[in-house]
Amino acid sequence: MGHVRVSGRALSEAVPRAGLDPPPAFSALVPGVTACPIERVHAWSATPEGMVLSCVAGRVWCATVRLTPWAPNIIRYRLTAGPHAGAPAPAYPIRDPDPNVGHEIRETAAGWRLETDALVLEIGRTPWTLAYRTGEGRPLTRQVADDVNLGGDVLGPAPGFELDGASQDPARQARRGFETLLLDPHDHWYGFGEKFTDLDKRGQTIDVWQENAAGARTGAAYKNIPLMMTPRGYGVFVNSTARVTCWMGSRSTRTWSLAVPGDTVEYFFIAGTLAEILESYARLTGFPPVPPRWSFGLWASTSFVPIDQAQVGARARRLRREGIPADVVHLDATWQRAEERSDLRWDPEAFPDPARLISDLHGLGYKVSLWENPYVSIHSSLFQEGAARGYFLRRPDGSVYTPQIGSGAGGRRYPLCAIVDFTNPAAAEWFRALHAPLLEAGVDTFKTDFGEEIPVDAVFHNGRTGAEMRNMYARLYQELVFTMLRERHGVAVIWARAACPGAQQFPVHWSGDPHCTYEDMAATLRGGLSAGMSGVAFWSHDIGGFYGTPTPDLYVRWAQFGLLSGHARYHGTTVRDPWAFGDDILAIFRRYAVLRSRLVPYLYTYACCAAETGLPLMRPLVLRYQDDPATYGIDLQYLLGDELLIAPVFDPDGRVAAYLPRGRWTDFWTGEVIQGPCAIRRLAPRDVLPVYVRENSLVPLGPPLQYAGERPCDPLTVEAYVTAEARFTLRGEDEQLPLTVRREGPAFDFEAGAAAATYTVRFHGAGDAAAATADGRPLARVADPAELDRISEGWVVASGVVTVKARARRIRLAGCPEFPAAPS
């Protein structure tokens, strides 16, 4: 640990008891339940890690608070029933505290101050109080023990516990623990996982509990992460795998509360901006790795329909004929026999020669993905094998659990199945070995579906119950498959549905099974932005929606949104191949698929940034503009990286309402410049997805490729939207390429921080120009863009954009008119 300093009286002392009665219990009307709110500090001690405070709660000595600085801006709060730490509560793996973090404990007239460089905790002796402040002293929040209405009903439970019944050992009867904090009038709340409700969770009651959400229409979620944050300067990560319930101002306008089952409440209080909170959360739970470059191309799914080997090959070849860039062919559930899913064995009738199919797909430049889940059908021979060896979850009576899992499309359910117990090392190795023949045949990755529906009374090999492991289960499953792929390929990606804290280390995650409507598309985006604000950096969704058949208009609108998401895949209960929706839709799809293929260098750069910061590729506006109150409730548009603002169309008539924050924004398609902040309303033709580029931005585009690695990424196009200076460091697997454009009066200067290469730099808003040079040599002006495409060097002016093409490190554009003011 870092330095520790204590000032005041002795390190351990007794404190007189308060003469106050506790406030009414949150569960006062629940028979047999006794409330034990924290009342006062009886004794305390300083430790190298922080403070330990023994408290009186509910008139018995039954609460211990441990405060541990984890980083300068993070303090762990741990409340346990009884005087001891108790048995380890079910929790997520957490990285060790910063060894250099220092803290100081100061005694005050009322109690103590625990200080780090970025946080101050004020602890009151009698009555017990706890308040959080910034290092500069600005109040962040505090515990509240008296949130009741005029009738005496408890709206916010006092920090402490509820006990079940009377006992000679009351600390072991803890039913659940509470934390209640002050809700500031200016608080807005983000996080909690992939929640399809409004992005701002203020006023909502949230259950952090894994479920097969069966769509995107309710508060149920496939990805549940007890991380919450407010742009007012702090966040809270609750470290419990149990079912955590949060009342974010839904019971009271004065407080927000959380309840954790059992005898321990542990959370990490994180101070900072929203971006700093996400980075700190990643430091606690793990940063995401960078997925392989090919994963950022289009994933073409065979969809949840019957398929055979010939059909898969024909569809893959047609994608190439149509000129639609795609990197992955995904075979969904029907590559296996329906009654034997998921035993990871090919249906021999539909796929007589899978090795040949995989080889053919590789020859066309595709990677191959296969669907799986962690459930073994009772009709598979593997069921008897796994049951005999104790590889499956068991009921309390010791028998193998064989539930019917999954809502299925249209109410169809899968056969009875057993659930692989990944806490059993032998079972995990057995499941891992089932993949070996597929990997040897050339399969590149897996869609790790399901994992949410663990029976609460199931018994795991590690001794935990389903109630304790349900939120954690999918992470164990995904980690096993992801690690296996990384060991084989060096870099890995999976396509996963469920998520919990730490699952961001095993990307990519997709949104599950929305219906095919505009409303469900909008809810899907809300879920993705919510997931991003919960540490899930790499997220995607099913283009067209999953359940049903989209109209051509809905399909193309969803395709535009999907192809400009972090990752892109089409999939559904009916075919989603773009030619199935008509020639007009096919042409529009192709246009956006080509744009996506060119954006891969940009997306890969932000993937590298995500691995260092934990920030998502798709960002709600509030993440970058948290000082702009107009962004707090915006959840139907997003930033892709920092430079591009995307406003998907959620209306069949093409109506779009969008908000542009401060600064100049340029319409990506037309070049129109708009001065923000402003709200815009427009009609978007069917072939237009509104995209705006932030002022002083560089957007690198590679050449159109049918798949990653088809040929070198040369020439590189740089779209420059510069009024003063813009920088962008392009990231590759083993290299970085700094790019800079400066504007001074009538001149633009482009510089690449590497050896000379071929660049096509498009200077937006440059008007006309008098001359262009490359590394000091003059370039010839040509008449039209088509001519520039045919030659190695030169420059051209068209529609207010000056395009310069040259093999050089430095390009200079001179004699440009003064930059016009943007329309207000």
Side-chain angles (χ1 to χ4, degrees):
M1 299 293 290
H3 65 275
V4 180
R5 198 152 61 105
V6 181
S7 60
R9 288 186 285 180
L11 297 184
S12 181
E13 62 179 354
V15 181
R17 173 187 168 86
L20 301 176
D21 289 331
F26 187 68
S27 54
L29 300 181
V30 179
V33 175
T34 303
C36 288
I38 307 173
E39 296 178 12
R40 61 183 175 89
V41 179
H42 174 75
W44 76 283
S45 63
T47 69
E49 293 77 26
M51 293 182 72
V52 178
L53 301 111
S54 298
C55 302
V56 172
R59 295 191 173 85
V60 294
W61 187 343
C62 70
T64 302
V65 176
R66 290 170 175 81
L67 301 172
T68 307
W70 219 257
N73 69 323
I74 304 175
I75 289 182
R76 185 184 71 175
Y77 171 94
R78 195 166 197 266
L79 169 67
T80 53
H84 307 296
Y92 298 100
I94 297 295
R95 305 296 171 89
D96 291 337
D98 181 349
N100 299 315
V101 64
H103 68 272
E104 182 173 355
I105 301 172
R106 299 177 184 271
E107 187 181 19
T108 68
W112 304 268
R113 285 169 61 95
L114 173 60
E115 302 178 2
T116 70
D117 290 343
L119 268 172
V120 175
L121 270 66
E122 296 178 339
I123 304 111
R125 291 186 182 92
T126 307
W128 162 267
T129 58
L130 178 64
Y132 294 94
R133 295 179 179 269
T134 66
E136 296 80 24
R138 179 173 64 87
L140 292 172
T141 191
R142 61 178 173 83
Q143 288 185 338
V144 177
D146 62 349
D147 190 13
V148 298
N149 66 13
L150 294 178
D153 300 315
V154 175
L155 305 179
F161 292 96
E162 288 178 339
L163 305 185
D164 267 333
S167 169
Q168 290 184 323
D169 188 10
R172 300 280 71 80
Q173 299 299 116
R175 178 171 178 257
R176 56 179 177 169
F178 295 110
E179 175 64 297
T180 291
L181 296 169
L182 190 69
L183 180 66
D184 190 274
H186 297 96
D187 277 332
H188 298 264
W189 289 100
Y190 308 98
F192 298 100
E194 184 191 57
K195 298 292 184 177
F196 301 111
T197 54
D198 290 350
L199 179 65
D200 182 356
K201 299 301 188 290
R202 184 176 180 126
Q204 299 185 32
T205 298
I206 307 290
D207 273 328
V208 182
W209 187 240
Q210 296 293 72
E211 295 187 64
N212 181 342
R217 295 183 174 178
T218 70
Y222 308 99
K223 303 168 188 64
N224 291 272
I225 298 170
L227 171 69
M228 57 218 76
M229 65 192 76
T230 170
R232 234 177 31 80
Y234 75 94
V236 170
F237 166 53
V238 184
N239 190 21
S240 172
T241 65
R243 183 175 191 154
V244 177
T245 301
C246 302
W247 297 273
M248 306 311 297
S250 54
R251 290 182 55 88
S252 169
T253 59
R254 183 179 176 231
T255 62
W256 69 275
S257 305
L258 59 88
V260 182
D263 62 2
T264 301
V265 176
E266 176 179 297
Y267 67 78
F268 291 84
F269 189 95
I270 309 170
T273 65
L274 298 175
E276 289 167 344
I277 292 166
L278 282 173
E279 182 171 356
S280 296
Y281 169 76
R283 293 191 185 281
L284 287 172
T285 61
F287 285 91
V290 181
R293 182 177 288 266
W294 53 261
S295 75
F296 293 93
L298 174 63
W299 295 51
S301 172
T302 59
S303 293
F304 190 42
V305 297
I307 52 167
D308 60 31
Q309 185 163 337
Q311 292 170 339
V312 174
R315 292 160 78 173
R317 289 188 294 272
R318 181 159 184 183
L319 277 169
R320 293 287 182 250
R321 288 198 312 271
E322 296 288 355
I324 296 174
D327 279 81
V328 183
V329 169
H330 168 69
L331 282 69
D332 212 65
T334 54
W335 70 276
Q336 302 176 74
R337 290 180 177 176
E339 67 278 6
E340 297 184 14
R341 302 169 188 157
S342 176
D343 62 3
L344 298 174
R345 296 173 177 173
W346 293 91
D347 179 342
E349 295 182 7
F351 295 92
D353 192 354
R356 175 64 181 272
L357 172 64
I358 295 168
S359 176
D360 289 346
L361 292 173
H362 284 169
L364 292 170
Y366 294 108
K367 303 296 183 180
V368 178
S369 167
L370 296 182
W371 175 94
E372 65 169 313
N373 68 35
Y375 315 135
V376 177
S377 167
I378 61 171
H379 300 300
S380 169
S381 61
L382 294 181
F383 170 77
Q384 297 298 336
E385 178 182 337
R389 296 180 180 179
Y391 291 164
F392 301 134
L393 298 187
R394 295 188 177 275
R395 297 186 180 92
D397 64 7
S399 61
V400 174
Y401 232 123
T402 55
Q404 195 167 45
I405 296 293
S407 59
R412 298 191 300 272
R413 301 183 70 88
Y414 294 101
L416 297 181
C417 63
I419 304 171
V420 179
D421 184 353
F422 293 110
T423 70
N424 181 344
E429 186 55 38
W430 174 73
F431 187 77
R432 177 187 175 108
L434 296 177
H435 295 77
L438 301 170
L439 293 173
E440 291 168 4
V443 172
D444 299 282
T445 189
F446 296 91
K447 171 182 170 180
T448 50
D449 205 352
F450 289 91
E452 304 94 352
E453 299 164 288
I454 304 303
V456 295
D457 61 343
V459 178
F460 280 74
H461 179 79
N462 66 358
R464 297 286 188 188
T465 67
E468 297 170 306
M469 292 297 297
R470 179 168 172 141
N471 282 343
M472 181 72 169
Y473 178 82
R475 171 180 166 163
L476 302 178
Y477 158 45
Q478 293 163 17
E479 182 175 14
L480 182 147
V481 178
F482 186 91
T483 302
M484 171 186 67
L485 291 168
R486 184 172 55 194
E487 290 172 355
R488 185 173 186 89
H489 301 304
V491 61
V493 66
I494 57 175
W495 199 266
R497 187 170 77 174
C500 67
Q504 70 273 6
Q505 299 171 96
F506 319 113
V508 169
H509 291 84
W510 104 100
S511 71
D513 303 340
H515 292 72
C516 299
T517 71
Y518 281 97
E519 295 78 15
D520 289 272
M521 179 169 63
T524 296
L525 174 56
R526 291 189 181 104
L529 297 181
S530 181
M533 294 298 283
S534 308
V536 180
F538 300 105
W539 175 87
S540 188
H541 49 100
D542 288 344
I543 288 175
F546 175 74
Y547 180 63
T549 301
T551 65
D553 280 343
L554 175 63
Y555 177 81
V556 80
R557 293 303 192 185
W558 210 317
Q560 293 164 352
F561 161 40
L563 290 165
L564 288 183
S565 294
H567 280 76
R569 182 186 76 158
Y570 63 70
H571 177 69
T573 56
T574 57
V575 295
R576 295 290 185 269
D577 301 309
W579 49 83
F581 297 89
D583 291 343
D584 290 348
I585 300 303
L586 175 62
I588 298 170
F589 189 101
R590 181 186 298 112
R591 178 190 184 193
Y592 283 87
V594 169
L595 174 59
R596 178 176 186 84
S597 76
R598 301 193 65 196
L599 276 169
V600 166
Y602 176 85
L603 296 171
Y604 192 85
T605 294
Y606 274 102
C608 295
C609 294
E612 297 167 354
T613 65
L615 297 183
L617 274 66
M618 296 175 63
R619 306 167 177 187
L621 268 62
V622 69
L623 183 56
R624 179 174 173 82
Y625 300 96
Q626 75 172 64
D627 58 343
D628 182 351
T631 67
Y632 292 168
I634 293 177
D635 54 16
L636 293 182
Q637 61 186 77
Y638 58 96
L639 298 168
L640 185 60
D642 271 346
E643 285 77 8
L644 301 177
L645 187 153
I646 315 295
V649 180
F650 298 109
D651 179 85
D653 295 328
R655 290 189 295 266
V656 179
Y659 175 74
L660 303 182
R662 63 184 178 272
R664 299 168 64 105
W665 296 85
T666 303
D667 187 306
F668 182 79
W669 306 110
T670 68
E672 178 189 4
V673 177
I674 303 172
Q675 182 67 46
C678 70
I680 58 174
R681 296 181 183 275
R682 58 178 292 188
L683 285 175
R686 190 165 68 169
D687 63 340
V688 173
L689 168 68
V691 178
Y692 298 92
V693 188
R694 181 174 55 85
E695 181 181 16
N696 289 317
S697 290
L698 304 180
V699 180
L701 300 174
L705 302 176
Q706 287 297 293
Y707 55 90
E710 181 186 20
R711 62 181 186 275
C713 191
D714 189 5
L716 182 72
T717 298
V718 179
E719 304 283 349
Y721 301 81
V722 182
T723 58
E725 180 175 296
R727 296 176 179 271
F728 191 97
T729 299
L730 197 63
R731 307 283 291 271
E733 286 81 353
D734 302 308
E735 60 185 0
Q736 298 187 14
L737 175 60
L739 305 171
T740 304
V741 174
R742 297 181 182 88
R743 175 159 189 166
E744 295 182 1
F748 288 87
D749 286 290
F750 165 83
E751 182 175 356
T758 301
Y759 297 98
T760 299
V761 185
R762 289 169 43 83
F763 298 93
H764 293 261
D768 206 336
T773 60
D775 288 341
R777 66 184 183 275
L779 298 174
R781 180 171 180 169
V782 298
D784 63 77
E787 183 179 355
L788 187 62
D789 289 340
R790 295 191 294 267
I791 60 178
S792 60
E793 291 191 338
W795 63 285
V796 69
V797 180
S799 302
V801 178
V802 180
T803 303
V804 183
K805 180 180 179 182
R807 184 170 185 80
R809 282 190 61 191
R810 295 179 178 85
I811 292 172
R812 182 173 177 81
L813 195 63
C816 300
E818 290 298 319
F819 204 85
S824 61

